[in-house]
Amino acid sequence: MIAFRNFALRRGERLLLSDVDLAMHAGWRVGVVGRNGTGKSSLFATIRGEVEPDRGDVDVPGRVRIASVAQETPSLPDAAIEFVLGGDVELAAVIRAEADANAREDWEAVAAAHQRLAELNGYDAEARAGKLLHGLGFPAETHRRPVSSFSGGWRVRLNLARALMMPSDLLLLDEPTNHLDLDAVLWLEQWLLKYPGTLLLISHDREFLDGVCTHTLHLNDGKAKLYVGDYTAFERQRAEHLRQQQIAHEKEQAERAHLQKFIDRFKAKASKARQAQSRMKRLAKLAGTEAVRAEREFRIEFPQPAKLPHALLRINDGECGYVLSPRSGDGTRGADGGNGAGTGGGMVRILSNVGFGLEAGDRIGLLGPNGAGKSTLVKTLVGELPLLEGERYAHPDLRIGYFAQHTVESLVAGTSPIDHLRELSPDSPTQAFRDFLGKWYFPGDRAFESIDGFSGGERARLALALIAWKQPNVLLLDEPTNHLDLDMREALAEALSDFDGAIVLVSHDRHLIGLVSDSFWRVSDGVVKPFDGDLDEYAAWLRSRPSNEQARAPAMPKAVEAPPAPAKPAARVNPHRLGKAEARVAELEDALAEVASALADPDTYADGAKAAALGQRQARLQAQLEEAESELLALYG
C-alpha cells in the first residue's frame, strides 16, 4: 500500500499539491491524470524517493521493488536484448557470474550460478526479454544489434522494455505510449492487464487509460482526489460531484441570504433579539461550500479553406522511398525504418504499387507498425520525398498543412509566436497576429514571449497554430498529440471534426484517430491497402495474428544510414537443405530444454562433477544453436 498523509509538494515557489490524504492498495492500476503542470511527474519522483515532500509523509513499504522507465539511454555497445535483460539486476549479475566462472573453469561456481538461475527462473529470461522486444516492435534480427545503433525513439522503447523486464511490485509509467505506434500500444495494454503488481500510470491517452486502469487519481488546483474506475468512469463521477457541489452551494447561498435578511430586519427589535441571535449562530456554522469554478475549456479551430477543389491529391502506381547520397556502407533501410529493398543507384524502396488519393472531405487514418512506411507515405504526399516511380498529381489550388514528428523540435529557439507568424506572412499587421494567437491561447504578452520557456504542449499548440494560419485544404498529421494533454487532444479532435478539407492522420491515440477518421488504410509489408473495419476490429485482428508474423516485421532504422548494396536476385531455397536446417534447430532446442530441466533440479548439485558437465554441455549446445539459427536464416535470406 502507498499512503499519502497531510502531503504537500512545491516546485520552487509554486505549490503543486497540498493536504493530500489518500491510500492506494496492492494490485490497483491507477491512472494519474491532470493538466500539464499539476505535479504528476513530481509525484512519481517523490514515490521514488528523489524528491522530499514539503510537508507530510509518503509511506511506501521498504521491501517494495519499484520499476520505472529511465529518461535517457546511454549510447552503449551492448546488444539490445542484453540491455533489456539488464533490467533484472539480480539475474544479470548471476549471468555475468556464470560467464566469469566458465571462463576460469571454476565448475563449482558454475554449478552455484546454475542453481541460482533456476531459483530466479533465469533459463527463460532471454525468451521473456525477446517477447518484450517483439511486442514493442523490434524484429528478431534487431535483438543483437548494439543499443548505440538505434535512434532516440527506439531507445525510449528499449528503456520501456528494460523497465518491464525488472521484477517489481510497483511499476511507475510516465507517458509510456508517446513513442509507440498503435500496434505496440495495443500490445502494452494487454501486457499491463496481466501485470500482478501495483501500477501508477501517467497518460493523456484516454482509450489506453480506459483499457488498463481500475482507479483514477485526479490532480487539480493543488488537490488530489482518488476515484474508483477508469477514465470514463472518473469523468462521469467528477461531473456528478461538481453538479452536486454547485447545487449545495446555491442552496447554502439562498439560506445565507434568508438568514441575513432576518438578522438585518429584526436584530434591533428586543422582541426578536433572541431569534436574530440564533440565526446569527446558524449563519456562522454554515459550511461555506465553494461554487464550482469552471475549468477553462480549450477550443481551437482550423479556418475553412479559401478554395476546396474536389480532387486534391493523388499517387498513381507509386514507388515510395529514398534516394541516398553515395557513401560507403551497406545499410539498406529507409529513414523511417521501412524494409529497404535496394534498387541499385542509391535507392531505398519502401512502398510499392501505391494507389492513394485524397478528395475533399476524406478523413483517412493510417494504421501499421512503426517502420512500415507510414511516414514515408505522408512525406511523399507532401512532396518532401519525390516518387522513385509513378505519378503524383496535385491540384493547382492544393494547400497542405503538414505536422511531422519533428515539427515541434523545428520551432526556432529564442523567438516568439509572433516572430514565427511574421516569418510566414511578413506583410500582415501585428494586430492580426495577436488576434489569431489569442484564439490559440497565446493571449496578450504571451504572444511576444520566447518559446524557450514554453512547455512541450505549448510548443505543439503553436506548431498547430502555424499550420492553421496557412488555411490549408489538406491536413497531413503525423503523431500530432505526443506533447498534448487530454483537454488539448479533445480540442484537436473537435477542430479536425469541423474541418471541411481532407485529412490523413497517423496517431497512436485511438480516441483521436477513432473520432476523426472515416476510413482506415494499413501500411505494412511494403504495400498500402484499405483496412475493412474499425479500430476495435483492427485490435482483434492484431491479436489473432500468428506469432510467426514477427519474421515479416519491418526492419529497424539504423542510427546512420548508408546506401544499399546492389540488389541480389532472389535465390531458390533447396527444400531438402531447408528441412535439414529446421530439424537441426529443433533438435538443439530440445537438447537445451533437457539440460535446462536437469539444471533446474536441486538434486543435480549433489554431484558437483555432474552439474559442471551439464553446465559445459549447455554452453556448447547454446553455441551450436546460434550457429544453426544463423545457417537457417541464411537459407531463408
Side-chain angles (χ1 to χ4, degrees):
M1 183 178 76
I2 304 168
F4 295 85
R5 296 188 177 89
N6 195 30
F7 175 83
L9 187 64
R10 290 183 178 273
R11 183 191 296 156
E13 294 297 316
R14 185 171 165 228
L15 183 64
L16 292 177
L17 294 165
S18 65
D19 301 321
V20 176
D21 285 284
L22 57 89
M24 292 175 282
H25 294 272
W28 287 8
R29 298 191 298 273
V30 183
V32 183
V33 301
R35 288 189 170 175
N36 289 337
T38 53
K40 300 185 295 294
S41 296
S42 298
L43 191 72
F44 272 23
T46 308
I47 293 172
R48 288 194 297 262
E50 298 167 2
V51 174
E52 289 291 326
D54 290 86
R55 188 181 68 244
D57 299 298
V58 182
D59 291 338
V60 180
R63 289 175 294 180
V64 165
R65 299 168 297 174
I66 301 176
S68 61
V69 181
Q71 296 301 305
E72 295 183 3
T73 310
S75 183
L76 298 170
D78 308 46
I81 197 161
E82 293 172 1
F83 177 76
V84 173
L85 275 168
D88 189 335
V89 178
E90 186 175 1
L91 178 62
V94 175
I95 291 172
R96 285 195 300 271
E98 182 204 16
D100 293 343
N102 267 312
R104 64 177 186 269
E105 299 185 352
D106 182 350
W107 306 123
E108 287 188 10
V110 169
H114 278 296
Q115 185 169 1
R116 186 62 184 140
L117 279 173
E119 293 168 357
L120 295 172
N121 296 321
Y123 290 110
D124 66 347
E126 187 163 320
R128 285 185 281 121
K131 285 181 180 179
L132 290 173
L133 285 169
H134 174 49
L136 292 173
F138 293 84
E141 65 269 19
T142 68
H143 293 189
R144 298 288 173 186
R145 272 180 46 190
V147 172
S148 57
S149 70
F150 292 95
S151 63
W154 289 99
R155 290 192 199 178
V156 172
R157 294 191 187 207
L158 285 175
N159 277 344
L160 176 57
R162 185 179 170 99
L164 300 183
M165 186 69 192
M166 177 182 174
S168 62
D169 307 300
L170 173 60
L171 180 59
L172 306 177
L173 296 181
D174 190 345
E175 294 290 357
T177 64
N178 266 4
H179 291 274
L180 302 184
D181 53 58
L182 184 56
D183 297 30
V185 169
L186 291 166
W187 174 87
L188 179 61
E189 181 178 301
Q190 294 302 309
W191 192 95
L192 292 175
L193 287 174
K194 299 171 186 174
Y195 175 67
T198 305
L199 171 68
L200 266 64
L201 168 68
I202 297 172
S203 179
H204 291 136
D205 184 336
R206 61 181 300 147
E207 293 287 335
F208 189 64
L209 290 165
D210 275 350
V212 171
C213 296
T214 61
H215 295 74
T216 302
L217 179 62
H218 181 225
L219 308 188
N220 177 62
D221 198 25
K223 306 297 180 185
K225 184 174 176 60
L226 191 62
Y227 294 81
V228 176
D230 58 21
Y231 185 81
T232 298
F234 147 72
E235 278 196 319
R236 187 165 51 246
Q237 292 174 67
R238 177 165 165 75
E240 177 61 21
H241 169 76
L242 293 176
R243 188 181 75 84
Q244 292 294 341
Q245 180 181 329
Q246 186 62 26
I247 289 172
H249 172 75
E250 291 171 358
K251 183 178 179 181
E252 182 181 301
Q253 291 304 108
E255 185 176 0
R256 280 180 179 277
H258 177 73
L259 291 170
Q260 191 64 53
K261 184 177 180 182
F262 186 93
I263 293 166
D264 291 343
R265 183 177 179 185
F266 296 114
K267 65 181 177 181
K269 290 190 176 182
S271 61
K272 299 286 188 178
R274 187 183 296 273
Q275 295 178 43
Q277 198 72 21
S278 174
R279 282 163 173 72
M280 289 174 70
K281 289 179 181 179
R282 167 66 182 155
L283 185 62
K285 288 180 179 179
L286 286 178
T289 306
E290 288 186 25
V292 173
R293 289 182 290 174
E295 294 182 1
R296 182 177 64 176
E297 183 177 337
F298 284 111
R299 180 162 181 81
I300 57 176
E301 66 177 25
F302 290 91
Q304 295 307 314
K307 295 182 179 179
L308 188 58
H310 180 66
L312 290 159
L313 183 60
R314 180 155 193 89
I315 294 175
N316 294 319
D317 302 317
E319 300 290 315
C320 305
Y322 299 81
V323 179
L324 300 175
S325 57
R327 60 183 187 268
S328 61
D330 62 354
T332 62
R333 282 120 184 162
D336 74 344
N339 285 324
T343 62
M347 290 185 181
V348 177
R349 195 181 304 272
I350 308 294
L351 302 170
S352 298
N353 196 29
V354 176
F356 189 88
L358 281 175
E359 298 177 351
D362 280 350
R363 285 165 161 70
I364 297 172
L366 296 184
L367 306 175
N370 274 5
K374 299 189 297 294
S375 294
T376 299
L377 176 61
V378 172
K379 290 175 184 176
T380 306
L381 289 169
V382 172
E384 184 177 306
L385 285 178
L387 283 167
L388 303 180
E389 295 177 28
E391 176 191 24
R392 175 184 180 271
Y393 165 79
H395 193 280
D397 293 325
L398 175 71
R399 185 173 288 188
I400 290 176
Y402 175 40
F403 187 103
Q405 294 187 36
H406 58 78
T407 295
V408 173
E409 287 72 26
S410 66
L411 295 173
V412 182
T415 60
S416 68
I418 288 277
D419 294 331
H420 282 83
L421 282 178
R422 189 169 286 120
E423 186 70 23
L424 296 176
S425 303
D427 299 328
S428 296
T430 299
Q431 189 58 47
F433 296 150
R434 296 189 67 171
D435 293 344
F436 177 78
L437 288 169
K439 295 177 182 177
W440 282 79
Y441 302 95
F442 297 104
D445 293 339
R446 192 73 169 151
F448 295 91
E449 292 181 16
S450 168
I451 66 166
D452 293 358
F454 284 13
S455 67
E458 289 171 322
R459 291 176 184 234
R461 185 163 14 111
L462 175 58
L464 290 167
L466 297 177
I467 291 170
W469 174 263
K470 300 174 185 176
Q471 289 186 267
N473 47 30
V474 170
L475 291 173
L476 303 176
L477 307 177
D478 192 352
E479 295 291 359
T481 64
N482 273 352
H483 300 281
L484 301 180
D485 62 20
L486 278 158
D487 293 325
M488 196 63 202
R489 291 185 187 204
E490 287 287 345
L492 177 60
E494 291 179 11
L496 293 178
S497 298
D498 292 339
F499 180 66
D500 286 339
I503 298 171
V504 175
L505 176 62
V506 179
S507 179
H508 64 266
D509 187 320
R510 280 168 287 170
H511 183 67
L512 177 69
I513 201 170
L515 283 177
V516 171
S517 304
D518 294 330
S519 61
F520 298 97
W521 287 59
R522 184 167 183 263
V523 183
S524 184
D525 302 322
V527 297
V528 183
K529 57 185 179 182
F531 180 81
D532 185 17
D534 59 18
L535 289 180
D536 290 336
E537 290 168 306
Y538 181 66
W541 175 80
L542 282 177
R543 289 193 293 270
S544 70
R545 288 185 307 168
S547 59
N548 62 9
E549 288 205 12
Q550 174 180 359
R552 300 204 303 272
M556 300 291 298
K558 290 188 175 181
V560 178
E561 300 297 341
K568 296 179 180 178
R572 292 181 61 84
V573 178
N574 183 314
H576 178 68
R577 289 184 63 196
L578 186 61
K580 283 185 66 176
E582 289 176 338
R584 175 63 173 158
V585 168
E587 177 188 335
L588 289 167
E589 286 177 339
D590 290 343
L592 266 172
E594 289 179 12
V595 174
S597 177
L599 287 169
D601 184 356
D603 293 341
T604 299
Y605 300 95
D607 184 345
K610 179 183 177 182
L614 282 170
Q616 295 173 55
R617 175 167 165 72
Q618 185 186 45
R620 288 195 303 272
L621 287 171
Q622 187 64 50
Q624 292 169 9
L625 178 59
E626 289 177 4
E627 182 180 348
E629 287 177 334
S630 297
E631 292 174 358
L632 180 60
L633 284 172
L635 288 174
Y636 278 128

